[in-house]
Amino acid sequence: MSGDVRNRARGSLPVASLIGGTVIVLVLTFLLAVVLPVTDKAQSAMGTPRAYSRLQLSGRKLYVREGCMSCHTQMVRDAASDASLGPAMSLPNDYANEAPNLIGLDRVGPDLTCVGGRLSDRSAIIAHLAHPDHVHAGSGMPRYAYLSDQELNAIAAYLQALRCKEGQS
Amino acid sequence: MRGRIEEMRERFIEPLLSRSPRLLPTKPDAAARYALYSAIAWFVLWMLMAAVVAIKLVFPKLLHQFPWMSYGRLRPAETNILMWGVLFNGAMGAAFAIIPRVCGVKLWSERIAAQLVMFVDTIVLAGTLLLLVGRTEGIEGFEWPWPVAIALTLAMLGVLQVLMFTVLRRTEKELNPPAKFLLAAFHVLPITFATASFGSLFVFGERQVLYSGFGHAGGLLGMSLIGAGTALFVIPRATGRPIWSLRMSNVALWMMMLTFPWLGLIERVLGPLPDWVETLGISMAIASIVPALFLFTLVVNTVRGGLRDDPSVPFMTGATLIWGVAIVLNAVGSLRHPAGVLGTTWWNDAVRSAFLGAFGLWLVGLMYHLIPRIRGRALRSPALVRTHFWVGAIGVTVATLASAIAGLIQGYVLNAGAALHADVASGAGWSRVWFSIRPMLGIRVVAGGMIFAGVVLLLINVQRTLSDGSEIEIETIGARRSAEVERVGSPV
């Protein structure tokens, strides 16, 4: 190997080791932190997926469009503060039919995992969506009065579908 | 390899670009300048949107009649503007300016780099408008519709190509620490963004959470590497002292690479993910404190005893400290017992505020350091820069503290409610939680105002520097190389 070629090979070594190391670390992390849990069949068999009617599905789409998951989670955690939210903590298979998932990260507003069990009157839900401050004085929720009656009805139908049975969140 | 790269540029790319010579200048640092100015412009727009979002939390009726101004649409739009319009543009500006300097060669193609900046600006604009009209993928952090995500991935690969070809043309055999951090970051960002954006479209439910978590962790790692690389570039130049320990900078880099990509696993501790997955994530969150300590030690010891007349240094040290605090807050919130109180509360926002504040301070420090040198004008008012530092750093700290206290209050009110069998976690009872944290949300608005005031000071200072700053020598890339190596230190 001539001196020039050897020098060039030495020059590219730090770049190759940096890039190679970066890619290897990311691939291994992806395999262990994403692929392995995704293929954990014992875990993903736990829970009960929900089924939705056409109206409820259109309500779900509106829920996504309006970004409701920015403020509301759909996840009962294994924590004391979540005890009143549902009969049991949420399980992986509860979300098997959910795309996009609406699990959420932050609770600016209350959790909605089992909200359907608490809300039986659809017109009351629609009134709350359109003017939350009229229903609960000082509510921090924004008004959705700009949505049409059909859209409000669809979202209310979706929210009513969020029910939990005993032994399931 | 070097010859082939040159040949490719001469034969295929330059003839295409030379058809519009006026549109895209070829002067050194043109692309870096475009990127930094774009970042400032997006910064102003982001601040305005963030102000509306923050005020809406206190006064929900504000602008409620406009669908495109609703909280649920504005929040992902402003978050994406911050991530890609401000921080990614800033990252491009940093890389296009720093890598040529530490490698001692010109950027491989200023024109392509400048076009990539414009492409990214177009993508951010399109993504923002689509989110505001309600077109969203609905996945936290990856809301942009998939065609926009594809365009952004291509742009990131383009930036990587420009940087790689620049690095491969370098005259120095080894890579300096800032180049290592930046090059690693521009590999991490496209890989994790594409994996999360496109992978999550083909899976359902909690599996999406794993993909998006990987993407969030990749974004955090990428931006942290860029911030650290920027600090390790600016501080030795500004203080006249070499990096304190090159070995420690290498250890910090690889410790970040090994621990940060796992941090997505702690986003929903006590939630529906398997316990062993959470335990892995929590372990890595605790381990991520080690590289933060290393980087902070490195920065403090490099600054100590050096020159103190460059006003960009406080931004670098302050940002590194706030970034370290964010890592500790993140780790504390991930532990199972604290997570029972703090999980899903405003504590998450405190962690985000601290991280984003640190990235912003690193970026602003780089701007104050670079803009005078690449425009040949001395900073018009160093005193205004120092004022900006204190206003910005206090603003970020107050926003972080207000969110952290809101998180603690929210967590304890919910836990007290559960202990007393009072329903505060759902429905009408939630208003008790809301009223208890509302003052903190008001304080966040004030903190946001301080950060915005800092941006106004930056705009005023840059405008005055460019219009009537005293002339200084424009920094020529290549000519500074020997001084650069001397100041940064011999590469490991």
Side-chain angles (χ1 to χ4, degrees), chain B residues 44-388:
Chain B
V44 174
L45 181 65
W46 170 73
M47 281 299 323
L48 293 173
M49 286 175 76
V52 174
V53 168
I55 295 169
K56 269 175 172 280
L57 282 169
V58 187
F59 303 105
K61 284 186 222 167
L62 177 75
L63 302 169
H64 71 273
Q65 56 276 60
F66 305 110
W68 52 277
M69 291 294 274
S70 70
Y71 182 89
R73 297 189 194 183
L74 269 178
R75 196 183 154 218
E78 60 99 0
T79 308
N80 278 290
I81 285 182
L82 177 60
M83 178 65 198
W84 301 109
V86 181
L87 296 177
F88 189 67
N89 260 319
M92 283 194 292
F96 292 154
I98 293 173
I99 286 188
R101 281 170 169 76
V102 294
C103 290
V105 289
K106 287 181 179 172
L107 197 66
W108 177 64
S109 171
E110 286 287 346
R111 281 181 176 172
I112 295 176
Q115 279 207 334
L116 285 166
V117 175
M118 290 181 183
F119 187 39
V120 168
D121 286 341
T122 312
I123 292 166
V124 178
L125 187 64
T128 304
L129 292 175
L130 286 169
L131 286 180
L132 291 179
V133 297
R135 296 294 301 272
T136 172
E137 294 294 347
I139 298 165
E140 180 93 21
F142 301 93
E143 292 92 352
W144 279 349
W146 62 265
V148 181
I150 288 178
L152 185 61
T153 307
L154 292 175
M156 283 194 269
L157 292 175
V159 175
L160 179 60
Q161 183 199 1
V162 170
L163 297 177
M164 278 300 296
F165 284 3
T166 306
V167 167
L168 290 173
R169 293 163 77 207
R170 77 193 187 284
T171 49
E172 190 67 27
K173 282 195 196 73
E174 301 293 341
L175 273 178
N176 276 5
K180 281 185 188 175
F181 277 81
L182 289 167
L183 208 55
F186 278 92
H187 279 84
V188 169
L189 287 172
I191 292 173
T192 52
F193 177 79
T195 308
S197 291
F198 309 124
S200 56
L201 294 179
F202 298 102
V203 290
F204 286 77
E206 101 289 357
R207 296 174 178 193
Q208 268 183 352
V209 166
L210 292 162
Y211 276 88
S212 60
F214 184 66
H216 297 157
L220 175 63
L221 172 60
M223 288 302 161
S224 298
L225 289 170
I226 288 161
T230 304
L232 295 179
F233 170 75
V234 170
I235 292 171
R237 288 161 57 99
T239 59
R241 282 171 52 81
I243 291 173
W244 185 62
S245 165
L246 295 177
R247 198 176 296 275
M248 188 180 262
S249 79
N250 270 338
V251 175
L253 168 71
W254 287 106
M255 282 292 288
M256 283 164 73
M257 298 281 283
L258 287 169
T259 54
F260 278 45
W262 298 83
L263 297 182
L265 300 180
I266 57 165
E267 287 176 346
R268 290 168 182 86
V269 173
L270 305 176
L273 293 181
D275 280 353
W276 66 268
V277 174
E278 287 181 8
T279 305
L280 258 175
I282 294 167
S283 310
M284 290 299 179
I286 296 164
S288 68
I289 296 173
V290 177
L293 284 174
F294 280 6
L295 189 67
F296 188 66
T297 309
L298 206 57
V299 164
V300 167
N301 282 298
T302 306
V303 169
R304 207 159 56 178
L307 301 171
R308 290 180 181 271
D309 55 343
D310 191 317
S312 57
V313 174
F315 281 91
M316 296 294 147
T317 45
T320 310
L321 176 63
I322 291 172
W323 174 78
V325 169
I327 286 174
V328 174
L329 291 177
N330 195 33
V332 168
S334 76
L335 299 171
R336 285 201 174 89
H337 269 82
V341 178
L342 303 171
T344 72
T345 70
W346 281 85
W347 187 267
N348 295 342
D349 191 74
V351 175
R352 281 193 291 265
S353 300
F355 273 127
L356 295 172
F359 298 147
L361 289 173
W362 267 322
L363 174 60
V364 170
L366 177 73
M367 286 176 180
Y368 281 129
H369 180 81
L370 267 185
I371 290 174
R373 288 167 172 82
I374 61 182
R375 294 307 302 262
R377 299 272 180 179
L379 257 182
R380 188 69 178 76
S381 172
L384 216 54
V385 180
R386 289 189 187 93
T387 311
H388 180 180

Side-chain angles (χ1 to χ4, degrees), chain B residues 394-422:
Chain B
I394 293 171
V396 170
T397 308
V398 170
T400 304
L401 274 175
S403 293
I405 294 168
L408 279 165
I409 294 172
Q410 184 178 358
Y412 279 107
V413 170
L414 289 170
N415 274 271
L420 298 169
H421 302 290

